[in-house]
Amino acid sequence: MRWGKLVLIFQAIVTLFISVAFFSQILYLDNAKIAELRIEICQGPLLWNTTAPTVMIDIKQRYTLAAYTLLIVGVFELLVISRLLS
């Protein structure tokens, strides 16, 4: 059980580091005065199919969502682990 707790603590810390990395990317985009960052991808089973419909994805919105989600998950993991340790 001791190794399991150690692995859970490591996982929670790595999750928090990843959320900090996403937040730093968002702050960098804000400092560069970039309002939105979009990429265009083709949907379909074949990559070389030129008739596949394209989809615009807002990367900044996805980074923001990922950062907040990972932050909340990491904090909840640390809370659960702290309950296991006591």
Side-chain angles (χ1 to χ4, degrees):
M1 188 65 171
R2 193 173 114 211
W3 281 103
K5 291 178 184 177
L6 185 64
V7 168
L8 288 174
I9 290 171
F10 177 75
Q11 177 183 344
I13 292 172
V14 168
T15 304
L16 289 175
F17 280 145
I18 292 171
S19 70
V20 168
F22 279 123
F23 270 123
S24 69
Q25 291 296 315
I26 294 168
L27 292 176
Y28 178 75
L29 289 174
D30 285 342
N31 287 340
K33 305 289 189 222
I34 298 174
E36 59 184 7
L37 182 62
R38 294 185 177 267
I39 62 169
E40 182 178 354
I41 62 170
C42 291
Q43 276 189 332
L46 302 175
L47 295 174
W48 56 85
N49 188 1
T50 58
T51 61
T54 59
V55 178
M56 298 295 286
I57 297 175
D58 188 10
I59 297 295
K60 187 175 178 183
Q61 180 184 11
R62 286 194 175 196
Y63 271 30
T64 305
L65 182 65
Y68 284 120
T69 302
L70 288 172
L71 181 67
I72 291 170
V73 167
V75 168
F76 278 134
E77 284 178 348
L78 287 176
L79 289 174
V80 168
I81 293 167
S82 69
R83 294 288 297 215
L84 286 175
L85 294 177
S86 60

